[in-house]
Amino acid sequence: MPAGPSPALLGATVRAFLDRDDLDAATVRSYGQTLRRLRLGLGDELPLGSVDADRVAGVLAAAWGGAAPRTWNRHRAAVRSFAAWAGLDDLAAGLDRRPEPAGRTGAIAPEQLERLWALPGPSLRERTLWRLLHESAAPVRAVLALDVQDLDLDDRGACGDHGDRGVVWRSGTARLLPELLAGRTRGPLFLTDRRPGPGRTPAPADLCPETGRARLSYERAEHLFKLATRPLDPAGEGWTLRMLKPRR
């Protein structure tokens, strides 16, 4: 009798899930951390049909049972995304969502901001983005959508979609912007570190014609900010870019 088709295995399915063009690098890293632990706990050769909510709950409880609510919920969300993509039952059924502390999206305190500005590691791009978000109080996506040709450096403002001065800044940003531009006259203001690889060609509006690099994504900018601010955050999780909006 000929052998039937081989059952799908956990390790190979996870690799296929992460090796997709619709996931950016930051998402792959985030999901990969959760699913790597799942593979270690259950084994790459475990048939996918044998992966159930109880087994998943045991692995995550052992790895992150004492984690902060935001961290726990992030791992839970990764499991749910994987299960939905793989066509499995809800593997997060045994993972209750934990309530997150109120005020986590509030503004960063002034004394913490001073520590942030003094951090030695962040790149010029990150320092400029953070200052601009704080000084302008503009939405993160609006700032990341800025193009070089939108800027008026003399008047410290950028035109919005309807010609209004949608984003304005102060002296901290004004000192950093000329160095960030480095002579560029067009294209996205905030760029990725490298040119996009094959199969990941961005829309023309999101590609710099002078450097070949793409517009920095919200997900990547958020990931870098959380990494940089973990040592400053008393909870050890890192802050979100929305927390740069000044207190009123």
Side-chain angles (χ1 to χ4, degrees), residues 19-109:
D19 189 23
R20 291 154 49 201
D21 289 340
D22 60 326
L23 295 181
D24 59 50
T27 303
V28 169
R29 278 191 296 272
S30 178
Y31 285 178
Q33 182 186 20
T34 307
L35 298 176
R36 189 179 307 111
R37 178 67 66 172
L38 206 60
R39 290 170 58 188
L40 289 172
L42 301 180
D44 277 354
E45 302 305 312
L46 181 69
L48 201 60
S50 298
V51 182
D52 58 30
D54 288 340
R55 287 186 169 189
V56 171
V59 172
L60 263 69
W64 296 292
R70 187 179 296 272
T71 300
W72 173 263
N73 292 338
R74 174 170 59 83
H75 292 301
R76 177 179 179 272
V79 168
R80 296 188 68 186
S81 294
F82 171 69
W85 178 85
L88 301 171
D89 293 334
D90 186 6
L91 297 181
L95 306 171
D96 292 335
R97 192 181 190 282
R98 297 178 180 177
E100 299 181 12
R104 289 288 300 155
T105 57
I108 300 170

Side-chain angles (χ1 to χ4, degrees), residues 146-149 151 177-191 208-211 213:
L146 289 174
D147 292 325
V148 176
Q149 57 268 34
L151 308 182
L177 274 174
E179 185 179 356
L180 179 70
L181 295 177
R184 290 189 293 124
T185 59
R186 54 189 179 145
L189 174 57
F190 295 102
L191 298 173
C208 174
E210 299 178 3
T211 67
R213 290 181 285 157

Side-chain angles (χ1 to χ4, degrees), residues 2 29 32 50 119 124 126 136 139 149 210 216 237 245:
R29 278 191 296 272
S50 298
L119 281 177
L124 172 65
E126 268 62 67
S136 68
Q149 57 268 34
E210 299 178 3
L216 181 66
E237 297 180 41
K245 190 172 183 177

Side-chain angles (χ1 to χ4, degrees), residues 98-123:
R98 297 178 180 177
E100 299 181 12
R104 289 288 300 155
T105 57
I108 300 170
E111 61 273 15
Q112 295 286 47
L113 276 174
E114 292 306 316
R115 295 179 62 196
L116 175 64
W117 304 145
L119 281 177
S123 69

